[in-house]
Structure formats: structure tokens, C-alpha cells
Amino acid sequence: KKLGGFANVEQLREVYGISAETYAVIRPSISINKALISKIKLNEATLAEMNLHPYLRGEIARAIVDLRKKNGYHLSDLAQLKEIDLINEEIFRKIAPYLTIQ
């Protein structure tokens, strides 16, 4: 619930209490509907709101707010997040499904 939904099945491995054995058993019966993911509106979200998301909390949320401020409080493309040193390609792919510019 805190995550806003699952963007891929492998994220189940991050859930506390799901062992590799349990994952292997349930994996064939799991499907993902990306249309149901709850997205954070980057140009509107407060630092506190971003801090609630498990992948953004802390330094990444603060860096996003700083980047937004640097850009006149408006981001026009999610790819701008790659300007943040903390956000490499792997992290970008992980957080992008949960973000929107609109």
C-alpha cells in the first residue's frame, strides 16, 4: 500500500516475510496491472508527501525538491531526475513508474 502498487513481480522479493521459497511458489499465479499504480505528481507533491514513498524517502525526496526549485518549481520531463547524483539508471527505472509530471 505504501508503495502505491507493484510495477513488476520481482518487487515481491522486497516484501518483508516473503522468502525465496514462498516467492517461487506464488510467482506463477501473480500478475501486475501497472494501470493501478498510484502516482506522485512531481510538480505538486510536497517533501512530506514524497517522503512517504519507500523508494523516495530521505535524501532522494530532498534532492527532487531541490531540483524542482532549481528549475523554477517545474519539471517538464521525468528524465530530468537523472541530473540528481543519487539517481542512477537503476534507481530511475525503479522510481519512474511511481512518478508523473502532470
Side-chain angles (χ1 to χ4, degrees), residues 2-60:
K2 288 180 184 180
L3 190 59
F6 291 99
N8 66 64
V9 177
E10 285 71 34
Q11 287 175 293
L12 287 171
R13 294 177 183 208
E14 298 174 18
V15 175
Y16 178 78
I18 296 185
S19 66
E21 295 81 17
T22 300
Y23 176 79
V25 170
I26 65 173
R27 170 60 187 99
S29 62
I30 302 295
S31 63
I32 300 295
N33 184 345
K34 291 183 181 185
L36 299 176
I37 292 174
S38 177
K39 296 191 178 235
I40 296 170
K41 296 178 182 178
L42 277 186
N43 286 320
E44 299 175 16
T46 65
L47 174 60
E49 290 168 335
M50 283 190 262
N51 262 319
L52 293 174
H53 195 280
Y55 291 164
L56 300 179
R57 68 174 53 121
E59 292 181 26
I60 291 179

Side-chain angles (χ1 to χ4, degrees), residues 62-74:
R62 169 54 63 196
I64 291 171
V65 169
D66 291 345
L67 177 67
R68 194 170 59 186
K69 182 177 179 181
K70 176 183 149 192
N71 286 284
Y73 297 94
H74 179 79

